[in-house]
Amino acid sequence: MGQRRNEVNLLSLIYFIIVLSVLVLVHEFGHFITAKRLKVHVQIFSLGFGPTLWKIKKDETEYRISAIPLGGYVKMAGDEPTEHLEGKPNEFLSRSVGDRFKIIFAGPALNYILAFLIFSAIFMFGSPTLTTEVGGFLKDYPAEKAGVLIGDKILTVDGKSVKYWEDMTELIHKHSGGSLKILLDRKGVIIEKDIVPMVRKTKDIFGKETTMTLIGVSPSQKIESVKYNFLDSLVMGAKKLITLTAVTLKALWAII
C-alpha cells in the first residue's frame, strides 16, 4: 500500500513538472516572440533554471534547457536597470513604454489563449459530468421526507429542464420563496414532487455570508462524457474562461 502511494505521488510530481513546464514555455514564448517582432535583442531563451544541460545558438539567441524544470526565463539585452545602456533600439529598457508593455503582456496573454484552447478541447473531446441521478440524502433535509428515492433522476426544476448535476444545483440554490417543483424519472415512470426547501446561511468561497436553498440530495457516481461540436466547444471554452476570470477577480477584490 505504501509503495503504491509512493508511485502515485511520484507520478503526480512528474505530471506537475510537465504541466508547469508547458505553462512556462508558452508564457516565455509570448515574451520571446513579441520581443523578436519588435526587434529587441533576445540573448537567452531558457526552459528551466540552474546549470545548463543543453544549448544551441541560432542567430543572436542562445536556446537552453536547464537542470531545474520549475520555471524558465527570457534574457533580453538591456532588461536590467543595473546594466549599462547604450540607448540602442534593440535594448529592452531603451524602448518606449508601449513596446515594453507589449513584451511583458504577451506572456500572460498567451497563457490566457492556451487556457481557452484547453477548455475548448475538453468540451470537444469529452468532459466527464455528473448526471442528475440521486445517489444519497442529507439527514433531516426535505428531499427524502418528500419521497424522493435513491436512483431517481431529476428532469426539471421549477419547469426548467436539467440534464447535469451542476445545472440542477444552480437552479435549486437560486430558488427563492415557496415550494420547489421537481419532475423525477423513476425507472421510466414520471413523478412530480413539491418540496419545501431549507434556506441556510453559509459563506461563499470568498468568506462572504450568503443564503442558499437546499433540498438535501447528493449525486450518484453515474458520469456521462459530454461532447460538443467545434463551434459550441469554442463558445463553452470562452464561457468557462470568463467564469474563472470573474472568480479570480472577485478573489483578488476580497483579498484587498
Side-chain angles (χ1 to χ4, degrees):
M1 187 70 178
Q3 183 179 358
R4 174 63 178 168
R5 187 181 295 111
N6 290 337
E7 289 175 358
V8 170
N9 290 338
L10 179 60
L11 280 174
S12 298
L13 178 61
I14 292 171
Y15 292 149
F16 170 75
I17 291 174
I18 291 172
V19 170
L20 182 62
S21 296
V22 170
L23 291 175
V24 169
L25 180 62
V26 170
H27 181 93
E28 296 301 327
F29 182 75
H31 298 315
F32 167 80
I33 196 66
T34 307
K36 285 281 191 180
R37 289 185 65 183
L38 293 173
K39 308 297 184 185
V40 172
H41 180 194
V42 180
Q43 297 172 333
I44 300 171
F45 181 95
S46 176
L47 179 60
F49 291 99
T52 302
L53 300 178
W54 176 87
K55 65 181 179 180
I56 185 171
K57 189 163 186 177
K58 186 177 179 182
D59 298 328
E60 62 182 14
T61 305
E62 182 176 278
Y63 300 89
R64 296 179 181 178
I65 295 178
S66 300
I68 305 172
L70 296 176
Y73 62 92
V74 168
K75 175 69 178 73
M76 292 172 282
D79 63 359
E80 293 288 342
T82 55
E83 288 185 45
H84 173 67
L85 299 178
E86 299 178 3
K88 293 180 178 180
N90 66 353
E91 294 175 336
F92 176 74
L93 290 175
S94 296
R95 300 303 291 264
S96 67
V97 173
D99 284 348
R100 281 180 278 160
F101 173 79
K102 290 175 185 176
I103 294 170
I104 293 171
F105 182 73
L110 218 58
N111 280 140
Y112 213 69
I113 293 170
L114 176 65
F116 166 69
L117 294 176
I118 290 173
F119 285 137
S120 299
I122 290 171
F123 286 117
M124 188 184 304
F125 294 108
S127 172
T129 306
L130 288 168
T131 68
T132 58
E133 184 175 284
V134 176
F137 301 99
L138 298 179
K139 188 178 179 183
D140 298 327
Y141 275 74
E144 188 174 22
K145 294 178 182 178
V148 179
L149 302 179
I150 290 176
D152 286 351
K153 189 172 183 179
I154 299 175
L155 303 176
T156 68
V157 176
D158 280 340
K160 296 178 181 178
S161 179
V162 291
K163 191 175 180 181
Y164 305 113
W165 193 266
E166 185 179 356
D167 303 326
M168 181 200 73
T169 53
E170 185 179 359
L171 288 175
I172 292 173
H173 292 165
K174 288 182 177 178
H175 177 81
S176 59
S179 64
L180 184 73
K181 289 185 181 295
I182 64 171
L183 208 63
L184 304 171
D185 181 349
R186 181 175 294 168
K187 297 180 180 178
V189 178
I190 306 302
I191 300 171
E192 185 176 84
K193 294 285 184 182
D194 283 344
I195 302 176
V196 179
M198 286 187 177
V199 179
R200 289 284 182 266
K201 285 188 177 181
T202 184
K203 290 186 177 181
D204 60 20
I205 59 174
F206 309 113
K208 184 179 178 181
E209 191 172 271
T210 184
T211 57
M212 185 179 292
T213 303
L214 303 168
I215 63 173
V217 290
S218 59
S220 69
Q221 297 306 308
K222 190 173 181 180
I223 291 175
E224 289 183 5
S225 182
V226 184
K227 296 181 181 180
Y228 298 86
N229 62 40
F230 177 73
L231 291 178
D232 287 342
S233 297
L234 295 179
V235 172
M236 294 296 293
K239 286 182 178 178
K240 189 70 173 178
L241 191 61
I242 291 169
T243 299
L244 291 178
T245 300
V247 170
T248 302
L249 293 175
K250 285 181 181 178
L252 292 172
W253 178 250
I255 291 171
I256 293 172

